[in-house]
Amino acid sequence: MEKLMISGGRPLQGTITISGAKNSAIALIPAALLAESEVVLDNLPLLSDVAVYAEILENLGASVSWHELDNQMRIDPSSVRSIPMPNGPVKKLRASYYMMGALLGRFGEATIGLPGGCNFEPRPIDQHIKGFEALGATVTNEHGSIHLYAKELRGAKIYLDVASVGATINIMLAAARAKGHTIIENAAKEPEIIDVATLLNAMGASIKGAGTETIRIEGVSEMHGCRHSIIPDRIQAGTYMIAAAATRGDVLIDNVIPKHLEAVTAKLLEMGVHVDELDEGIRVLGKASYNHVDVKALTYPGFATDLQSPMTSLLTQAQGVSVLSDFVYSSRFKHVPELARMGAKIKVEGRSAIIEGGELNAAKVKAMDLRAGAALVIAGLTVGEGVTEVSGVEFIDRGYDHLVDNLRNLGANVWRETLETPTL
Ligand code: EPU
């Protein structure tokens, strides 16, 4: 186990190139199982979640070659079988729920242990199940594993009670090879959904409307391999934008789609940060003092819940009181007690954090989930005296490709150390 050591107080300066999106990658890899021949994914991020997914596919009989230096994965799913996976790597990853849609779509059957991952609050999958059942699958929970079976999947009209990213993608996966027409109403509109639909269409599927609240899928009987380049990671990009502002730096965040980051850009501008949108990049230039702002985390195109924790750290640097509310996850505030150890003045009331601006101090803190980890790193980067120690790095490695190298290239004094294990 490792911890991150941060001797902060230096403005981040320079250029960072953003890698492919984690939340696309971990849906695109299982989506490849629907094909009968090789799928090549380019711009793949180097993340522990991606490695876990490669292991899951190999366990099912896929041939997976991951060319890390080229950010490429080649997946040949021609020998895959739907082997029950009650335990093992599926338990490490929340997004292993995509194995349900992918295996159901290809084989009409799947058994998957209930997924693990970042448990910042209970994260139900009832809308995924509702979708599978509407397509004709029988879904049972057997000793902590979900078993799905359908003699034949048939298209259906499915209204999602919540615009869930996972449920929208999972239903697209299962419906892509179902018989007939599927309509998903109140679908989630996140860019990662468009990315998955783009891959599936390149594999021979017929999906229209991804990125809007109504997605129409005409099932096809066969799908084939293709080559696809993953969209840039808007959450990683947003995290570096926030870090640049928090350290009063000057950073060009390169290889992004600025439109995906409009909600962050708008809030930074409102705080008084200087932000320039370029064609495929965003330059963030910090200032000495910032206005307080209120932020509401919503589904896309609103402010992303995944940037809510990093934003909390930035708002400790604003003058006055800011209110940050999360309307996607009501209790995603595990970073707050840790930021309080660093001297932050934050109160959580219901689904809101009330943040009073002020200086932070170095402390030993623990990342309890991926984005909470990013928040603590940003907080540490703002502290000029002492060294902040962030444990729970394994969470951060799930979603931030080359974090230490990237921050060092931007001039930060950050390094990893082995965490001493207490002697009993
Ligand atoms: N929800 C339900 N029932 C369901 C599914 C979701 O009630 O069947 C609720 C959730 O409890 C939540 C809301 O709907 O309140 C939205 O959840 P969603 O299903 O959209 O989340 P997800 O698909 O499980 C993905 C990302 C998360 C990101 C959310 C929201 C992946 C693997 N994960 O999760 O990313 O926070 O969408 O944008 O794509 C992260 O990257 O740190 C992360 C947690």
Side-chain angles (χ1 to χ4, degrees):
M1 293 280 209
E2 288 185 317
K3 58 186 173 184
L4 270 184
M5 310 294 285
I6 306 163
S7 168
R10 301 180 181 194
L12 296 183
Q13 269 168 341
T15 300
I16 162 141
T17 303
I18 298 300
S19 66
K22 166 184 98 82
N23 287 345
S24 273
I26 56 183
L28 297 169
I29 296 171
L33 293 180
L34 288 163
E36 310 281 349
S37 52
E38 187 182 70
V39 172
V40 181
L41 297 175
D42 290 313
N43 203 27
L44 194 80
L46 186 60
L47 298 171
S48 58
D49 273 10
V50 168
V52 175
Y53 239 127
E55 192 186 339
I56 295 176
L57 261 58
E58 278 174 340
N59 288 351
L60 288 173
S63 147
V64 180
S65 53
W66 187 7
H67 304 274
E68 295 174 11
L69 289 178
D70 296 331
N71 298 100
Q72 189 190 71
M73 186 178 274
R74 304 181 85 91
I75 303 165
D76 183 349
S78 47
S79 315
V80 165
R81 285 172 302 133
S82 187
I83 301 165
M85 292 189 292
N87 291 307
V90 289
K91 292 282 192 188
K92 294 188 202 161
L93 205 64
R94 167 139 183 101
S96 55
Y97 52 44
Y98 291 134
M99 297 306 297
M100 298 179 193
L103 291 175
L104 187 64
R106 169 114 184 248
F107 300 104
E109 186 159 23
T111 302
I112 312 287
L114 276 169
C118 277
N119 288 321
F120 40 79
E121 69 170 50
R123 295 169 71 188
I125 55 166
D126 56 300
Q127 299 301 304
H128 305 230
I129 307 283
K130 170 174 140 174
F132 297 142
E133 286 177 339
L135 294 171
T138 307
V139 184
T140 45
N141 185 340
E142 292 167 7
H143 316 291
S145 289
I146 302 285
H147 177 72
L148 306 106
Y149 174 76
K151 195 153 182 249
E152 182 180 68
L153 286 176
R154 286 188 171 270
K157 185 163 180 171
I158 300 156
Y159 178 86
L160 295 180
D161 299 338
V162 279
S164 152
V165 174
T168 303
I169 293 178
N170 235 340
I171 296 168
M172 286 198 314
L173 295 176
R177 289 184 64 162
K179 203 165 185 183
H181 196 63
T182 296
I183 301 177
I184 310 174
E185 294 283 12
N186 194 29
K189 297 185 278 219
E190 272 66 3
E192 293 74 21
I193 289 162
I194 304 180
D195 207 20
V196 175
T198 305
L199 171 82
L200 292 174
N201 284 340
M203 285 162 59
S206 170
I207 302 178
K208 292 192 178 126
T212 76
E213 60 195 26
T214 306
I215 300 180
R216 295 171 186 278
I217 304 156
E218 193 59 51
V220 294
S221 55
E222 262 190 41
M223 288 171 72
H224 50 76
C226 69
R227 186 165 179 173
H228 175 84
S229 182
I230 300 175
I231 57 167
D233 194 313
R234 65 194 167 96
I235 305 301
Q236 227 186 91
T239 303
Y240 285 105
M241 288 170 73
I242 290 169
T247 60
R248 277 89 182 167
D250 180 0
V251 178
L252 174 65
I253 294 120
D254 203 13
N255 185 39
V256 298
I257 300 172
K259 178 130 189 73
H260 292 172
L261 288 149
E262 269 176 353
V264 194
T265 300
K267 277 297 149 191
L268 294 187
L269 289 171
E270 204 179 316
M271 289 180 74
V273 182
H274 186 98
V275 185
D276 274 339
E277 280 188 11
L278 312 169
D279 284 348
E280 290 182 358
I282 297 182
R283 182 178 170 204
V284 177
L285 188 60
K287 294 243 184 83
S289 87
Y290 295 129
N291 312 320
H292 60 92
V293 293
D294 292 344
V295 179
K296 292 183 173 62
L298 296 163
T299 54
Y300 189 83
F303 191 95
T305 169
D306 295 341
L307 290 172
Q308 179 260 99
S309 330
M311 193 66 181
T312 310
S313 298
L314 173 59
L315 291 175
T316 66
Q317 305 298 300
Q319 310 269 330
V321 177
S322 303
V323 180
L324 197 162
S325 311
D326 195 326
F327 290 96
V328 180
Y329 294 110
S330 58
S331 54
R332 194 178 193 177
F333 291 113
K334 287 196 171 165
H335 52 295
V336 169
E338 301 302 307
L339 288 174
R341 285 173 194 272
M342 299 180 70
K345 295 189 198 97
I346 309 177
K347 256 191 322 191
V348 174
E349 282 182 9
R351 56 193 332 148
S352 302
I354 298 151
I355 306 151
E356 195 184 325
E359 274 200 17
L360 302 180
N361 50 259
K364 287 188 182 183
V365 288
K366 190 168 175 19
M368 312 289 257
D369 64 69
L370 164 58
R371 309 301 172 189
L376 298 175
V377 171
I378 292 170
L381 289 170
T382 68
V383 179
E385 266 179 45
V387 175
T388 298
E389 296 187 22
V390 183
S391 58
V393 176
E394 60 283 5
F395 284 109
I396 304 178
D397 289 340
R398 296 189 40 217
Y400 291 93
D401 193 329
H402 292 101
L403 178 76
V404 168
D405 293 342
N406 285 340
L407 289 174
R408 288 167 87 127
N409 286 341
L410 295 173
N413 192 5
V414 179
W415 66 100
R416 281 175 184 257
E417 279 186 12
T418 306
L419 198 64
E420 320 74 51
T421 35
T423 44
L424 297 173

